[in-house]
């Protein structure tokens, strides 16, 4: 059930459109990265077709699904209905491989917080996989030519998925035990400003710009603290257990704790008590500790990012 444009031109589906189990999904908010799903069963033949121009042209309107015009809301309703009537089956039919940026040795897992978040989800699900760190020279040709070399990249059952949040959603749907809480709009709004503000602050080597960049970071931390304070519960959104948002946030807090202190002498302000309590809790979770890189690797990675 490929999603086609309003003119019914035979364009490929979005990377994450999915007719398996009767489910239709559409990553309409990420049109610039919309690709068709890989159809081959081997690394060398994994293919991608860009449909970004088409996606952008119809993202504000609707889609023709099997000859019927549907808005984004219609598609969401159809997806919900299909999911209720046809629960997902475990998809561990062929080996799973996760391609990630390497660490200092070139063969070890690196400091990428986005890869770390995917590995947390995999650990929570208890899914076995092969971890493949890749330097630019060792990336498979299909990954470079078909997916611009983007990592983390999950290859499973002949399909390729990039972008950590998309990978997490894929794993959460097809490996439903345990079911992780989704990343709601409120969680996304609370967490989204943190990594960009931390990245800008850490990469900056102009001392004159540090004050403004630090203030932006503190604002982001305040937004997150307010969410945690108002939602209650142990984890994001007031949940009693880890969700997709927690798996995404925890690696960033790890980098904040290590790199901001090392490079900038920065500590999370003491008034953000809810954030401090949450950080201590989430960084003690088994899924985090089992997949975290070392402090030295975090410092090494940000040192490279700073040109040191």
């Amino acid at each position: 059930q490929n999603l086609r444009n309003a003119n019914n031109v035979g364009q490929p589906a979005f990377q994450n459109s999915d007719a398996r189990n009767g489910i239709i999904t559409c990553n309409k908010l990420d049109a610039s990265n919309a690709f068709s799903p890989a159809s081959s069963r081997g690394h060398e033949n994994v293919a991608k077709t860009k449909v970004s121009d088409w996606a952008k042209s119809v993202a504000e309107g609707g889609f023709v699904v099997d000859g019927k015009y549907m808005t984004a809301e219609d598609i969401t309703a159809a997806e919900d209905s299909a999911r209720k009537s046809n629960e997902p089956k475990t998809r561990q039919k062929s080996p799973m491989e996760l391609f990630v940026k390497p660490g200092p040795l070139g063969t070890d897992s690196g400091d990428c917080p986005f890869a770390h978040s995917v590995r947390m989800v995999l650990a929570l699900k208890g899914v076995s996989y092969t971890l493949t760190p890749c330097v630019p020279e060792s990336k498979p040709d299909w990954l470079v030519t078909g997916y611009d070399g983007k990592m983390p990249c999950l290859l499973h059952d002949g399909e390729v998925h990039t972008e950590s949040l998309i990978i997490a959603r894929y794993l959460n749907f097809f490996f439903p035990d345990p079911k992780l809480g989704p990343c709601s709009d409120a969680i996304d709004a609370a967490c989204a400003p943190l990594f960009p503000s931390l990245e800008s602050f850490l990469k900056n080597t102009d001392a004159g710009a540090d004050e403004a960049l630090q203030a932006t970071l503190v604002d982001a931390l305040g937004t997150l603290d307010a969410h945690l304070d108002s939602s209650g519960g142990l984890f994001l959104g007031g949940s009693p257990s880890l969700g997709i948002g927690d798996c995404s946030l925890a690696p960033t807090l790890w980098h904040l704790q290590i790199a901001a202190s090392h490079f900038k002498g920065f500590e999370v302000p003491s008034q953000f008590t809810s954030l401090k309590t949450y950080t201590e809790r989430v960084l003690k979770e088994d899924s985090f500790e089992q997949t975290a890189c070392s402090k030295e690797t975090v410092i090494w990675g940000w040192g490279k990012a700073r040109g040191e």
Side-chain angles (χ1 to χ4, degrees):
Q1 295 180 350
N2 280 357
L3 301 180
R4 301 179 185 276
N5 68 2
N7 295 320
N8 212 23
V9 177
Q11 297 284 3
F14 282 103
Q15 179 186 22
N16 295 286
S17 67
D18 200 334
R20 291 168 302 230
N21 296 320
I23 300 301
I24 302 170
T25 61
C26 172
N27 181 21
K28 64 179 180 1
L29 297 182
D30 193 20
S32 63
N33 290 313
F35 307 125
S36 64
S39 58
S40 79
R41 298 290 165 179
H43 296 203
E44 296 80 5
N45 296 319
V46 175
K48 178 198 74 174
T49 303
K50 286 192 175 183
V51 292
S52 58
D53 290 342
W54 163 69
K56 289 175 183 175
S57 71
V58 301
E60 296 302 322
F63 310 91
V64 174
V65 182
D66 287 348
K68 178 183 178 182
Y69 181 81
M70 299 180 73
T71 65
E73 290 74 17
D74 294 331
I75 292 172
T76 299
E79 178 186 67
D80 290 343
S81 176
R83 184 175 290 116
K84 290 176 182 177
S85 63
N86 194 349
E87 287 301 314
K89 304 297 189 296
T90 299
R91 291 177 52 82
Q92 191 97 15
K93 299 176 182 178
S94 64
M96 182 179 290
E97 191 167 4
L98 182 65
F99 297 84
V100 300
K101 294 179 181 178
L105 300 178
T107 55
D108 54 337
S109 181
D111 68 314
C112 176
F114 307 108
H116 186 185
S117 70
V118 173
R119 295 185 67 198
M120 282 187 69
V121 173
L122 287 163
L124 286 166
K125 300 288 186 180
V127 177
S128 60
Y129 65 100
T130 298
L131 184 67
T132 305
C134 292
V135 295
E137 296 76 19
S138 66
K139 289 181 181 179
D141 288 342
W142 61 261
L143 179 56
V144 175
T145 59
Y147 295 87
D148 301 323
K150 288 184 177 181
M151 297 186 293
C153 174
L154 184 76
L155 174 65
H156 180 230
D157 218 16
E159 300 173 351
V160 170
H161 302 272
T162 60
E163 307 297 343
S164 58
L165 184 55
I166 292 172
I167 296 172
R169 288 171 174 166
Y170 170 85
L171 293 169
N172 200 34
F173 183 80
F174 288 107
F175 299 89
D177 186 24
K179 193 70 174 179
L180 306 183
C183 192
S184 67
D185 290 344
I187 291 174
D188 184 61
C191 298
L194 180 55
F195 185 80
S197 60
L198 176 63
E199 181 181 35
S200 296
F201 183 49
L202 290 176
K203 283 185 174 181
N204 177 57
T205 56
D206 176 8
D210 258 358
E211 183 177 354
L213 292 171
Q214 180 172 311
T216 301
L217 174 59
V218 170
D219 285 344
L221 293 172
T223 298
L224 181 55
D225 181 74
H227 169 82
L228 292 165
D229 188 56
S230 63
S231 59
L234 298 177
F235 299 101
L236 290 172
S239 173
S241 58
L242 287 172
I244 290 176
D246 300 289
C247 293
S248 178
L249 177 60
T252 299
L253 294 177
W254 179 235
H255 284 236
L256 170 68
Q257 187 177 89
I258 297 167
S261 175
H262 179 83
F263 292 105
K264 302 288 188 175
F266 176 83
E267 303 290 341
V268 174
S270 58
Q271 68 264 30
F272 296 147
T273 55
S274 294
L275 175 57
K276 283 178 169 288
T277 300
Y278 171 85
T279 300
E280 291 175 3
R281 180 184 300 120
V282 76
L283 298 190
K284 290 179 181 177
E285 287 290 310
D286 288 344
S287 58
F288 175 86
E289 293 185 334
Q290 292 167 7
T291 54
C293 63
S294 67
K295 293 182 179 181
E296 291 76 17
T297 299
V298 172
I299 293 171
W300 166 83
W302 283 107
K304 285 187 62 180
R306 288 168 54 83
E308 297 179 357

